[in-house]
Amino acid sequence: MTSQYDERFRRFSRRVEKGILIGIAACAIALTAGEILIQYVPARVFLIETERLEGVSDKP
């Protein structure tokens, strides 16, 4: 019975590990893409609110 449990746990842990690695890779890709996007002025204006407000006084 323990060998069956061990095998099922190994299969489960491999799936979880693969999911974690895919998640880490997806986050790294998203971070890199975001950093590249904010290098371009049209994308920066669209993505970053403070870029639009920079130099504009909130008091009249």
Side-chain angles (χ1 to χ4, degrees):
M1 175 149 176
T2 25
S3 64
Q4 183 183 15
Y5 172 79
D6 289 341
E7 183 58 33
R8 290 175 72 195
F9 180 76
R10 276 191 216 114
R11 280 188 277 147
F12 172 73
S13 64
R14 282 187 205 126
R15 280 187 272 154
V16 170
E17 183 180 8
K18 190 180 290 187
I20 290 171
L21 289 175
I22 289 171
I24 290 171
C27 286
I29 290 169
L31 177 64
T32 304
E35 290 295 324
I36 290 170
L37 275 176
I38 63 172
Q39 296 299 316
Y40 300 108
V41 175
R44 187 180 325 138
V45 170
F46 178 73
L47 293 174
I48 303 172
E49 182 180 358
T50 56
E51 191 73 24
R52 292 187 298 264
L53 300 176
E54 193 169 302
V56 177
S57 175
D58 62 340
K59 296 179 182 163

